[in-house]
DNA sequence: CAGGCGTGGGC
DNA sequence: TGCCCAAGCCT
């Protein structure tokens, strides 16, 4: 047996029983591939079942509101994946009658479908000989062939695709899907980033890195930049009916379109353009703020920390109460409630000069269970008993 | 092409 | 605790 046959043989005996390996539905396989981008298998499994139950085919996904789709993705992260998936589903309904095109060029042109996802779906769902090179495959080949190109570099990707393609071209059709998954499965179970299990590897006899003693050194990784720390503040403003003021983030960028606590800094930044009691931007169907005033809790704000891939937030949360009363303009209300209470050096919303008004709403408990929020906001609301 | 874009688990 | 990651894509 050559090394490719040994790998397939190993896969036959050691492959995991994963939900997306029990279906031939190209749509379901596609959904799993998108969810698995930069995300662990154990994390994905419950989302996979829920999402497919709610959106069983491209037509169902295309017909849903973005809010419901985002809610189905809540907690998974990288939320543009969900938007792209839905946008692609809509194109599939319009252009291809709701069927995933069994055509690499057409599928690849859909939003959110890159080289890896295209190759994975085409090979796994349609047995087309398209290479699918992800982080696992790069690592396996980097070690097996002793390639020292950095992870993610075009040269490593190109070589890995070429190596996979060379095998695909020699495989019978019924082994195409297995080949794609066998490479990744080896990376996930044996050829691990750290503490590789070379003693269990079906390719050990031919592995350059194992013979050279460079398994732990490969693949070469670039040094990571330091995470900036961003100081923020958030207003936990409730009224006498238990409603909570929420704010929707901009349509683009970090946590796009998701709901969170409004920022005192943002209110300060926008005080020239609206007043709290009169013209607060409000999406259709939500309740505008009534005239009243804010009473802020002057005790020390509680602090929450949230770490993203590329930055860290430290958020001071200020509990406050909205009560009916005299008309209070934003300038008066915000100036009064922040004076001596708000910390300095926090960062306003609308980074990079975008200061467009975003929708705010008084949310009921029911609203808060329905609206998509990120993990930090969920944690804050849970801490204060708001969900 | 380098950087933006989430989250939770392992060590 | 802090750091590294895990089945990428987009700009």
């Amino acid at each position: 047996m050559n090394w490719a046959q040994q790998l397939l043989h190993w896969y036959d005996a050691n492959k995991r029983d994963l939900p997306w390996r029990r279906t031939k539905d190209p749509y379901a396989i596609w959904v799993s591939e998108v969810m698995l981008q930069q995300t662990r298998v154990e994390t994905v499994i419950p989302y996979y079942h829920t999402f497919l139950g709610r959106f069983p085919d491209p037509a169902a996904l295309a017909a849903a509101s973005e809010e419901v789709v985002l809610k189905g993705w809540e907690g998974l992260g990288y939320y543009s994946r969900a938007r792209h998936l839905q946008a692609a589903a809509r194109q599939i309904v319009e252009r291809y009658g709701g069927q995933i095109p069994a055509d690499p060029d057409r599928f690849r042109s859909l939003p959110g479908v890159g080289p890896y996802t295209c190759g994975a779906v085409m090979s796994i769902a349609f047995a087309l000989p398209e290479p699918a090179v992800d982080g696992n495959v790069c690592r396996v080949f980097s070690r097996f062939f002793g390639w020292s190109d950095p992870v993610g570099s075009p040269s490593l990707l190109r070589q890995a695709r070429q190596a996979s393609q060379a095998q695909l071209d020699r495989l019978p059709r019924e082994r195409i899907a297995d080949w794609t998954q066998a490479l990744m499965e080896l990376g996930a179970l044996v050829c691990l980033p750290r503490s590789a299990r070379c003693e269990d590897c079906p390719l050990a006899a031919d592995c350059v890195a194992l013979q050279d003693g460079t398994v732990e050194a490969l693949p070469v990784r670039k040094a990571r930049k330091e995470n900036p720390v961003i100081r923020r503040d958030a207003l936990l403003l409730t009224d006498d009916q238990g409603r909570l003021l929420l704010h929707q983030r901009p349509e683009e960028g970090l946590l796009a379109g998701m709901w969170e606590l409004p920022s005192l800094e943002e209110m300060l930044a926008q005080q020239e353009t609206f007043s709290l009691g009169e013209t607060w931007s409000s999406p259709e169907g939500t309740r505008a703020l009534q005239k009243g005033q804010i009473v802020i809790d002057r005790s020390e704000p509680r602090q929450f920390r949230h770490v993203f891939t590329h930055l860290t937030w430290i958020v001071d949360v200020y509990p406050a109460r909205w009560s009916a009363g005299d008309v209070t303009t934003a300038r008066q209300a915000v100036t009064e409630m922040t004076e001596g209470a708000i910390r300095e050096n926090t960062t306003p919303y609308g980074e990079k000069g975008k200061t467009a008004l975003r929708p705010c709403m008084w949310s009921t408990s029911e609203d808060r269970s329905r609206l998509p929020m990120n993990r930090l906001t969920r944690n804050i609301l849970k801490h204060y008993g708001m969900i």
Side-chain angles (χ1 to χ4, degrees):
Chain A
M1 283 199 293
N2 62 28
W3 63 272
Q5 290 170 324
Q6 290 178 35
L7 176 55
L8 284 168
H9 186 69
W10 171 87
Y11 179 70
D12 292 338
N14 294 281
K15 65 181 175 187
R16 290 169 292 178
D17 177 20
L18 299 174
W20 41 92
R21 289 183 178 158
R22 291 174 168 242
T23 180
K24 288 181 165 181
D25 178 8
Y27 169 73
I29 291 168
W30 174 36
V31 168
S32 79
E33 289 300 340
V34 174
M35 286 186 169
L36 285 162
Q37 290 169 13
Q38 306 290 286
T39 310
R40 312 178 106 84
V41 165
E42 317 82 68
T43 304
V44 165
I45 288 175
Y47 283 91
Y48 173 81
H49 291 301
T50 305
F51 197 90
L52 283 181
R54 207 173 297 176
F55 315 109
D57 50 49
L61 183 56
S65 72
E66 181 181 289
E67 179 177 296
V68 170
V69 175
L70 266 184
K71 184 67 185 178
W73 210 269
E74 186 186 85
L76 254 190
Y78 287 137
Y79 298 99
S80 66
R81 291 184 294 175
R83 292 172 203 287
H84 289 148
L85 194 60
Q86 186 183 36
R90 288 178 170 165
Q91 290 186 19
I92 286 171
V93 168
E94 288 176 16
R95 302 179 188 174
Y96 309 120
Q99 300 291 110
I100 313 289
D103 177 323
D105 291 329
R106 287 183 176 170
F107 188 64
R108 172 71 177 81
S109 74
L110 296 168
V113 178
Y116 164 76
T117 304
C118 181
V121 174
M122 292 299 104
S123 62
I124 296 172
F126 298 122
L128 296 177
E130 295 290 319
V133 171
D134 70 337
N136 283 311
V137 180
C138 281
R139 185 170 60 254
V140 167
F141 280 145
S142 168
R143 288 170 174 167
F144 184 71
F145 292 115
W147 295 336
S148 53
D149 312 67
V151 164
S153 67
S155 56
L156 181 59
L157 278 170
R158 181 167 33 79
Q159 293 181 93
R161 286 186 189 122
Q162 210 165 42
S164 182
Q165 184 76 65
Q167 300 304 321
L168 285 165
D169 290 339
R170 303 168 42 183
L171 286 173
R173 179 185 160 81
E174 66 270 17
R175 278 307 220 176
I176 297 287
D178 289 340
W179 175 252
T180 288
Q181 297 180 87
L183 275 174
M184 292 190 287
E185 195 76 339
L186 188 72
L189 298 182
V190 174
C191 196
L192 304 171
R194 288 168 298 186
S195 308
R197 299 171 48 198
C198 298
E199 64 279 9
D200 297 327
C201 184
L203 306 185
D206 302 313
C207 180
V208 171
L210 182 56
Q211 277 143 38
D212 292 355
T214 56
V215 170
E216 294 294 323
L218 295 179
V220 173
R221 291 195 173 275
K222 295 177 185 172
R224 193 191 317 215
K225 257 181 51 179
E226 194 174 329
N227 265 6
V229 176
I230 311 287
R231 289 290 304 270
R232 314 199 65 128
D233 65 70
L235 185 64
L236 190 86
L237 182 61
T238 52
D239 68 4
D240 53 9
Q241 301 171 52
R243 298 182 306 183
L244 172 74
L245 191 66
L246 289 178
H247 163 270
Q248 190 178 27
R249 293 183 59 84
E251 302 293 347
E252 294 183 342
L254 185 62
L255 303 172
M258 305 194 78
W259 293 80
E260 65 182 1
L261 294 177
S263 158
L264 290 167
E265 281 288 345
E266 182 187 52
M267 296 167 75
L268 281 170
Q270 295 182 358
Q271 63 182 318
E272 300 295 346
T273 57
F274 69 103
S275 75
L276 276 185
E278 293 157 9
T279 59
W280 191 303
S281 158
S282 173
E284 190 181 358
T286 62
R287 293 161 290 274
L289 285 172
Q290 301 301 306
K291 293 178 179 180
Q293 60 185 6
I294 290 172
V295 180
I296 193 170
D297 178 353
R298 293 303 187 93
S299 60
E300 190 73 0
R302 190 170 295 275
Q303 201 167 79
F304 294 82
R305 173 182 295 259
H306 190 71
V307 179
F308 297 92
T309 301
H310 56 303
L311 57 88
T312 297
W313 278 356
I314 297 177
V315 184
D316 293 322
V317 177
Y318 297 85
R321 191 79 170 173
W322 178 267
S323 58
D326 298 336
V327 173
T328 307
T329 68
R331 181 191 296 279
Q332 291 165 338
V334 172
T335 300
E336 179 170 343
M337 75 186 175
T338 59
E339 204 169 3
I342 187 171
R343 292 172 181 273
E344 293 184 355
N345 299 325
T346 55
T347 305
Y349 286 87
E351 286 100 327
K352 296 176 183 174
K354 294 183 186 172
T355 54
L357 286 179
R358 296 296 308 158
C360 287
M361 70 177 292
W362 283 110
S363 64
T364 64
S365 176
E366 186 277 324
D367 292 328
R368 295 192 289 277
S369 66
R370 172 175 50 81
L371 297 172
M373 305 177 198
N374 87 317
R375 189 64 75 198
L376 171 65
T377 303
R378 285 277 162 216
N379 287 343
I380 294 173
L381 295 195
K382 189 179 301 178
H383 176 85
Y384 289 101
M386 299 301 295
I387 53 173

